[in-house]
């Protein structure tokens, strides 16, 4: 299995604390990707429910990485600065791979209810980026449907 050495000092510091930290990639086969390069937000409103899509783009060092996703840090209380932390992780390849820098992306769906969200900080093995809500245009796409989120269609 391919593995990436974590060189990002911010991520190492967060992982060494008692919390908050993302346990999922430590306990399972997911590992931080090599580098996170860019992130952007897409604002949606679905039947008056505000949704934020957080999309991140990064790089891995070989082919074959799959299931890239943004793993949120688990907070006991919301972060005081309003900037929420995520680790960009993916499942590394298990067989023969080509050694080449390859792109990977992931999207996290955030149902915006009751949280003070000013931005996100996304960590990878070598880099951390911060994307603030104020850096994005305020355009919200309204999507109307006869269904509500979380309800079954008849």
């Amino acid at each position: 299995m391919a593995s990436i050495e974590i060189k990002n000092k911010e991520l190492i510091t967060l992982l060494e604390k008692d919390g908050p930290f993302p346990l999922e990639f430590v306990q399972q086969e997911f590992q931080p990707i090599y580098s996170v390069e860019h992130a952007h937000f897409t604002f949606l409103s679905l039947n008056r429910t505000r949704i934020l899509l957080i999309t991140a783009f990064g790089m891995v060092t070989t082919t074959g990485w799959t299931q890239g996703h943004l793993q949120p840090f688990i907070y006991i209380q919301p972060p005081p600065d309003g900037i929420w932390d995520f680790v960009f992780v993916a499942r590394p390849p298990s067989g023969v791979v080509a050694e080449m820098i390859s792109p990977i992306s992931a999207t996290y769906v955030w149902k915006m209810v009751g949280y003070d969200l000013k931005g996100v900080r996304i960590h990878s093995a070598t880099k951390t980026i911060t994307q603030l809500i104020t850096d994005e245009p305020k355009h919200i796409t309204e999507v109307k449907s006869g269904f509500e989120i979380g309800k079954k269609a008849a």
Side-chain angles (χ1 to χ4, degrees):
M1 177 186 302
S3 126
I4 291 180
E5 178 184 353
I6 298 175
K7 296 178 184 176
N8 181 345
K9 290 180 183 177
E10 285 185 53
L11 180 56
I12 291 169
T13 301
L14 286 172
L15 292 175
E16 289 174 348
K17 290 183 178 181
D18 290 335
F21 53 92
L23 284 174
E24 183 173 313
F25 80 82
V26 174
Q27 296 172 344
Q28 297 182 7
E29 297 175 26
F30 293 96
Q31 294 183 11
I33 67 162
Y34 176 71
S35 178
V36 59
E37 301 299 324
H38 174 72
H40 72 84
F41 303 122
T42 303
F43 298 89
L44 299 172
S45 178
L46 180 61
N47 294 334
R48 291 187 228 155
T49 301
R50 292 185 58 210
I51 296 170
L52 173 64
L53 302 178
I54 304 165
T55 304
F57 303 90
M59 299 293 177
V60 291
T61 55
T62 65
T63 58
W65 287 73
T66 60
Q67 299 177 9
H69 62 278
L70 297 175
Q71 177 64 47
F73 277 79
I74 306 302
Y75 286 96
I76 295 169
Q77 296 179 352
D81 62 359
I83 305 208
W84 294 73
D85 287 284
F86 292 83
V87 178
F88 194 159
V89 298
R91 183 181 304 274
S94 58
V96 177
V97 296
E99 298 284 330
M100 61 185 283
I101 300 294
S102 303
I104 191 166
S105 65
T107 299
Y108 185 84
V109 179
W110 185 303
K111 192 172 173 183
M112 297 177 66
V113 220
Y115 294 109
D116 180 27
L117 174 66
K118 294 183 179 158
V120 296
R121 195 169 18 250
I122 303 173
H123 305 274
S124 67
T126 61
K127 187 176 181 181
T128 296
I129 63 168
T130 302
Q131 181 72 33
L132 301 175
I133 296 286
T134 57
D135 295 342
E136 292 283 327
K138 295 291 182 193
H139 179 73
I140 296 177
T141 304
E142 177 72 32
V143 180
K144 293 190 178 186
S145 167
F147 304 104
E148 291 183 31
I149 293 177
K151 297 225 175 167
K152 278 181 139 179

